Amino acid sequence: GAGVSQTPSNKVTEKGKYVELRCDPISGHTALYWYRQSLGQGPEFLIYFQGTGAADDSGLPNDRFFAVRPEGSVSTLKIQRTERGDSAVYLCASSLNPSGSGDEQFFGPGTRLTVL
Amino acid sequence: AQKITQTQPGMFVQEKEAVTLDCTYDTSDQSYGLFWYKQPSSGEMIFLIYQGSYDEQNATEGRYSLNFQKARKSANLVISASQLGDSAMYFCAMREGRTGGFKTIFGAGTRLFVKA
C-alpha cells in the first residue's frame, strides 16, 4: 500500500511569498501531524489533526503558519509572508490510533523549503 | 514541560558489536509513550521501537531493544550486532497521553557511525 506522500519534494521561494505544502496520509489514518526539521536538529512538532479538526496547534510558531484538513484526509500547511528562518524540511506523519500515546507515526519523505 | 535529552551527538561502533544510545525524558504525565526513530541520510524517518509508560517489560524488535528505566526517566536504545546499514541519525521521542495533547516531542538526535 502507499505510504505518506508529500508534495512538492522541494520548494524554493522568495522572502515574503506565500507557500502551500501538501500531505497525503496513509488511507484510513485519522491522525495527521506536521513537523519542521531544521538542519542538524530533531523534528519540531507543529500541529496535530484528529479527523478534520486541529486537536493541538500549539507548535505553530506564529500566525503566518496555518494548516487545514477539510475532508479528514489530505492536509495543507500554509505559510504566509515567508521568512528566511522558515527554511527547513517540513515533515508530515499519519497514524491509525488517534487516542492513545502509543500509536506509531508513519512519516512522509518531507518537503524541503528554501526561502531566499 | 515535556523534554527529551539525547546527550551523545555522535557515536562510533565496530561492526557486529552492540551499542547503546542514551535518552532521558521529562514529563509530569503518567501516561506516555516513548519511541525511537532512525533517519538515514536519505531523510526518511523510520520507526524502530515503542515503549509504553505502563509496560512492565522492555520492548524488543529484532536487533533493537529499549532499556526502559522509569524511575530514572531513561529510555536507552540498544542495537545488537551492528551493521554498516545502521549508520544514521537516531531520534528518541515522547508522546504524552490525553493531558499532554498527544503531541510528540523529539530529541536532538545521535548520529551513529558503524565502522567496518
Side-chain angles (χ1 to χ4, degrees):
Chain A
V4 179
S5 62
Q6 292 185 246
T7 55
S9 55
N10 280 283
K11 176 71 177 177
V12 180
T13 190
E14 294 179 341
K15 180 175 177 295
K17 299 289 188 183
Y18 167 83
V19 296
E20 289 189 353
L21 312 179
R22 177 186 167 108
C23 172
D24 276 274
I26 293 172
S27 177
H29 281 194
T30 58
L32 186 146
Y33 308 78
W34 282 101
Y35 297 89
R36 177 170 68 176
Q37 187 175 23
S38 300
L39 192 62
Q41 298 182 21
E44 172 193 6
F45 169 83
L46 296 177
I47 188 170
Y48 157 60
F49 285 91
Q50 275 195 40
T52 60
D56 187 343
D57 64 357
S58 62
L60 295 177
N62 51 59
D63 61 6
R64 295 188 298 106
F65 289 74
F66 189 71
V68 296
R69 194 185 185 200
E71 297 180 357
S73 178
V74 170
S75 175
T76 304
L77 179 66
K78 308 180 180 191
I79 310 174
Q80 300 177 321
R81 304 183 304 280
T82 51
E83 300 176 356
R84 292 192 180 91
D86 299 334
S87 296
V89 175
Y90 288 80
L91 296 168
C92 176
S94 70
S95 70
L96 185 60
N97 176 10
S99 59
S101 60
D103 58 325
E104 176 187 344
Q105 294 177 40
F106 296 83
F107 281 79
T111 293
R112 182 175 298 279
L113 175 67
T114 303
V115 182
L116 301 176
Chain B
Q2 54 179 307
K3 184 178 178 182
I4 292 284
T5 302
Q6 294 181 256
T7 57
Q8 305 153 314
M11 287 283 287
F12 287 87
V13 64
Q14 194 68 39
E15 192 180 12
K16 299 181 185 178
E17 292 186 350
V19 63
T20 297
L21 306 184
D22 294 342
C23 173
T24 58
Y25 61 92
D26 189 21
T27 179
S28 56
D29 207 318
Q30 295 301 309
S31 175
Y32 52 89
L34 297 157
F35 302 80
W36 278 90
Y37 283 85
K38 173 184 178 181
Q39 189 175 43
S41 55
S42 58
E44 71 212 90
M45 292 285 286
I46 302 168
F47 166 78
L48 296 178
I49 197 167
Y50 161 77
Q51 178 87 40
S53 58
Y54 293 117
D55 294 342
E56 294 185 353
Q57 290 193 329
N58 287 342
T60 60
E61 289 286 349
R63 293 186 300 112
Y64 305 107
S65 60
L66 199 152
N67 184 1
F68 181 46
Q69 298 187 43
K70 194 171 182 177
R72 300 176 64 178
K73 293 189 175 178
S74 75
N76 298 341
L77 176 70
V78 179
I79 306 175
S80 62
S82 297
Q83 302 172 357
L84 295 178
D86 293 336
S87 294
M89 280 292 287
Y90 288 81
F91 292 99
C92 180
M94 176 175 66
R95 184 167 189 254
E96 290 182 334
R98 186 167 297 278
T99 59
F102 298 113
K103 68 181 179 185
T104 305
I105 303 298
F106 284 78
T110 294
R111 183 168 293 281
L112 179 66
F113 300 91
V114 181
K115 300 181 291 183

